[in-house]
Amino acid sequence: MTDNELPLKLWVVLARAAAAVRRHAVADQERHGLSEGEFAVLEALYHKGPMLLVEVQRKILVSSGGITYLVDRLAGKGLAERRPCATDRRASYAALTKEGERLIRSIFPAHGQAIARAVSGLTDAEKRQAVKLLRKLGLSAAELSAPGDAEPAPRVASESGSARQASEAR
Amino acid sequence: MTDNELPLKLWVVLARAAAAVRRHAVADQERHGLSEGEFAVLEALYHKGPMLLVEVQRKILVSSGGITYLVDRLAGKGLAERRPCATDRRASYAALTKEGERLIRSIFPAHGQAIARAVSGLTDAEKRQAVKLLRKLGLSAAELSAPGDAEPAPRVASESGSARQASEAR
DNA sequence: GCGTTGTACCTCAGTAGAGAGATACCCTCT
DNA sequence: AGAGGGTATCTCTCTACTGAGGTACAACGC
């Protein structure tokens, strides 16, 4: 039975597994008042030291507006700060404050354990196998032509029907 | 040393693979003006017929407010409708309208192909292997004690017949 | 019957972040 | 020196929800 729904099934179990594990990760992060994105920024800075905002952005896969928002929030909490870049005045670094470093250092080990627990349903051999397959899958999917190519496709459903507020602007 | 960061690495590649494949799925759905959640509802109703809102909610894993919102949106687009439940006046069914059924029927095959393309980096044998591992991982992660419990009451042996719950497919 | 507990749905405020566009700057080429 | 194009960040609007809380009904025990 060469299952021609194999790709769909793979996508379903992939999405569900990721969601299930993510729930554990996020629950752990929220115990410290951090959103997923905030934690990702802290973790990146913790492991790599100060980075340009654009580097962090690419690492954690958020939009340009998103990284501004996240660094703003962390700065507001006193966990991170911006530092000017000496060689490029457009750019700036994000860096952990003392408090930010203290926080991430104190919670990271437990976080790792929470993740370990979440994935403990697989043996180490299975984990290695899964890493290999998922790495291959992730890389190949990421390399496929940018989404939205091909045909615009027939627009369905009015879509212009929703009341659009006429906001006066500046 | 046997890599004690294996769980973390698994989580990273899992999240990245899921995000990469999801981008393709979402891009395809958006060509028809549907968000991920809207598409998930249509697909569920298409495959299972009319369902109670609470059933759809559990199937696609959104909050109670979320399912109300999604059905409202689909109703506003004329793709789905609510129907009273004869035996329980609190409850109501969601069902596809003619137009909704026509739409999902017309786009579903191409959607399957988009997914197939997104996961085409793996051979069929690898896909099957991945499905097996991810199913095991997803089920075990979903069964772990609810997130947020500081002291997980030792409810260890929940149900030994672990296989069940969370039927796949969406 | 009546009280209690559980369930299905809705309401509403709030949030994380997307994405388009603007601004300021850098770099190269002439 | 100046034009042109590329890049880093910020601003702003908008979306797709979440989660808490409320209402109406259901279901059970007495």
Side-chain angles (χ1 to χ4, degrees):
Chain A
M1 59 158 186
T2 45
D3 192 349
N4 67 343
E5 293 209 343
L6 185 53
L8 232 32
K9 179 164 288 189
L10 173 54
W11 165 226
V12 169
V13 296
L14 172 62
R16 283 188 180 260
V21 176
R22 168 172 293 114
R23 279 235 300 288
H24 291 276
V26 170
D28 186 68
Q29 290 155 5
E30 283 178 351
R31 294 194 309 138
H32 306 283
L34 297 171
S35 75
E36 193 172 3
E38 289 168 352
F39 185 91
V41 173
L42 290 184
E43 187 181 351
L45 296 178
Y46 179 54
H47 283 116
K48 302 259 187 167
M51 300 170 75
L52 292 178
L53 293 203
V54 72
E55 292 173 328
V56 183
Q57 181 193 336
R58 284 197 271 258
K59 184 159 178 52
I60 70 174
L61 302 175
V62 292
S63 64
S64 66
I67 192 59
T68 295
Y69 168 79
L70 286 172
V71 174
D72 280 353
R73 296 216 76 208
L74 290 173
K77 292 180 179 180
L79 301 176
E81 62 186 4
R82 285 182 174 80
R83 292 181 192 163
C85 172
T87 60
D88 185 341
R89 282 193 300 176
R90 291 168 305 177
S92 62
Y93 289 97
L96 294 178
T97 60
K98 276 231 166 65
E99 194 185 344
E101 168 142 15
R102 203 163 45 68
L103 175 65
I104 186 71
R105 185 194 300 284
S106 76
I107 68 184
F108 193 74
H111 182 69
Q113 285 172 9
I115 299 294
R117 183 159 168 274
V119 301
S120 61
L122 297 186
T123 67
D124 278 9
E126 287 171 331
K127 290 189 191 98
R128 272 187 280 270
Q129 182 76 13
V131 166
K132 224 174 75 180
L133 291 168
L134 289 169
R135 177 137 50 203
K136 186 176 178 187
L137 175 57
L139 288 176
S140 73
E143 268 178 14
L144 289 176
S145 69
D149 293 352
E151 314 222 353
R155 271 261 124 170
V156 194
S158 61
E159 193 238 359
S160 55
S162 52
R164 201 130 290 190
Q165 273 281 33
S167 66
E168 49 83 60
R170 50 192 317 290
Chain B
M1 53 174 67
T2 49
D3 194 350
N4 65 343
E5 294 208 342
L6 184 53
L8 234 30
K9 179 164 288 188
L10 173 55
W11 165 227
V12 169
V13 296
L14 172 62
R16 283 186 181 262
V21 176
R22 168 172 292 116
R23 278 233 299 287
H24 290 276
V26 170
D28 187 67
Q29 290 157 3
E30 284 179 350
R31 294 194 309 141
H32 306 284
L34 297 170
S35 75
E36 193 171 4
E38 289 168 352
F39 186 90
V41 173
L42 290 184
E43 189 180 352
L45 297 178
Y46 179 54
H47 283 116
K48 303 258 186 168
M51 301 170 75
L52 292 178
L53 293 204
V54 72
E55 293 172 328
V56 183
Q57 180 194 335
R58 283 197 272 257
K59 188 159 177 48
I60 70 173
L61 301 176
V62 293
S63 64
S64 67
I67 192 58
T68 296
Y69 168 80
L70 286 172
V71 174
D72 280 353
R73 296 218 77 208
L74 290 173
K77 292 179 178 182
L79 301 175
E81 62 187 4
R82 285 183 174 79
R83 292 182 192 163
C85 172
T87 61
D88 186 340
R89 282 192 299 175
R90 292 169 305 176
S92 63
Y93 289 97
L96 294 178
T97 60
K98 277 230 167 64
E99 194 186 344
E101 167 143 14
R102 203 166 44 68
L103 175 65
I104 186 71
R105 186 195 299 284
S106 76
I107 67 183
F108 192 72
H111 182 69
Q113 286 172 7
I115 298 294
R117 183 159 168 276
V119 300
S120 62
L122 298 186
T123 67
D124 277 10
E126 287 170 332
K127 289 189 191 96
R128 272 187 281 269
Q129 182 76 14
V131 166
K132 225 174 74 181
L133 291 168
L134 289 169
R135 177 137 50 202
K136 186 175 178 188
L137 174 58
L139 288 176
S140 73
E143 267 180 13
L144 289 176
S145 68
D149 295 350
E151 272 303 330
R155 318 192 35 187
V156 187
S158 47
E159 311 292 312
S160 20
S162 59
R164 198 227 42 205
Q165 143 92 339
S167 68
E168 72 242 20
R170 332 177 311 148

